[in-house]
Amino acid sequence: MIRVLLVDDQPLLRSGFRALLDLEDDITVVGEAADGEHGVALAGELRPDVALIDIQMPVVDGIEATRRIALDPDLAGVHVVILTNYGLDEYVFEALRAGAAGFLVKDIVPEDLLHAVRVAARGDALLAPSITRRLIDRYVARPPHPTGGAALRDLTAREREAVALVAQGLTNDEIAARMVITPMTAKTHVNRAMTKLHARDRGQLVVLAYESGLVAPGGR
């Protein structure tokens, strides 16, 4: 059973999401919060698999709530998915940097919401390829992070290749096909890279990949 926490200051949206999610046999909503501070507290109390968190809320916003969850080692199993009205913007980028696994626009169709929750819960391919490519398109003009390249030095050549493919939005199966390896080996490369880079999830791998210059304009 996938346990979901809803954190949004709009009661109608929370009610709609709860009604949709609770219809599924493998998903249950375990709690709701109307601001980020209460959301972080509930995450610590309820330990959900997925926390759907609005990016703009009173008291504590979604980015700070995400950061607090990501920094708490006891909440390592909580995958934060940011909810936004605005699509791709600088707030989404900052949310990924803070530790969000991915993001959803609030007008998402029900089927995509259910799929996103299931994908986030298993920690695999948390950013849809189209979203990831748009993210990179938006921010590749930024100069590489001054310390980002050094962090990649601990990776093997195959791990670097896998990280670059994650940053292109590929799933483990697609990475396996591109690298001519098994999906399990692809997953191993990705997981080892995450461990070495201290990345919470694939979303942070994407950020690290292009902040370090591993992903560059025209390199996709």
Side-chain angles (χ1 to χ4, degrees):
M1 183 67 71
I2 298 171
R3 295 161 49 83
V4 177
L5 172 65
L6 299 176
V7 186
D8 194 293
D9 61 342
Q10 299 179 42
L12 185 60
L13 184 138
R14 294 200 312 271
S15 297
F17 274 25
R18 174 184 278 274
L20 175 65
L21 295 170
D22 279 343
L23 285 175
E24 300 301 301
D25 293 336
D26 61 333
I27 300 174
T28 183
V29 175
V30 295
E32 297 182 26
D35 63 72
E37 185 171 36
H38 187 205
V40 173
L42 282 182
E45 177 184 342
L46 301 173
R47 307 294 174 89
D49 301 299
V50 178
L52 298 178
I53 299 181
D54 184 22
I55 205 164
Q56 292 189 324
M57 291 182 296
V59 187
V60 171
D61 66 22
I63 294 175
E64 178 58 26
T66 298
R67 184 176 293 111
R68 293 183 187 182
I69 291 172
L71 289 175
D72 189 338
D74 292 334
L75 300 181
V78 179
H79 300 287
V80 174
V81 177
I82 289 292
L83 299 171
T84 175
N85 286 319
Y86 308 104
L88 193 66
D89 57 28
E90 62 186 65
Y91 298 108
V92 168
F93 178 79
E94 292 304 322
L96 292 174
R97 192 197 298 272
F103 68 93
L104 298 173
V105 180
K106 289 184 179 180
D107 61 1
I108 189 172
V109 299
E111 294 79 6
D112 288 346
L113 172 65
L114 297 173
H115 175 70
V117 167
R118 293 183 176 109
V119 167
R122 69 173 184 259
D124 183 28
L126 299 175
L127 296 177
S130 60
I131 299 284
T132 305
R133 289 173 185 137
R134 286 169 54 203
L135 180 69
I136 295 169
D137 286 339
R138 176 75 176 266
Y139 292 103
V140 286
R142 295 188 177 193
H145 192 279
T147 60
L152 297 180
R153 292 173 189 166
D154 292 334
L155 303 184
T156 66
R158 296 297 264 175
E159 288 165 355
R160 286 170 64 93
E161 184 179 358
V163 170
L165 294 173
V166 168
Q168 292 179 32
L170 273 62
T171 66
N172 285 339
D173 286 345
E174 292 167 335
I175 291 171
R178 185 76 64 88
M179 296 178 65
V180 195
I181 55 180
T182 68
M184 182 58 67
T185 301
K187 184 175 182 179
T188 298
H189 286 323
V190 172
N191 287 344
R192 285 177 177 170
M194 287 172 58
T195 298
K196 290 180 180 179
L197 296 173
H198 307 289
R200 178 180 170 88
D201 49 47
R202 296 169 77 104
Q204 288 195 325
L205 278 187
V206 173
V207 173
L208 286 167
Y210 63 79
E211 280 194 334
S212 66
L214 182 62
V215 173
R220 297 183 306 281

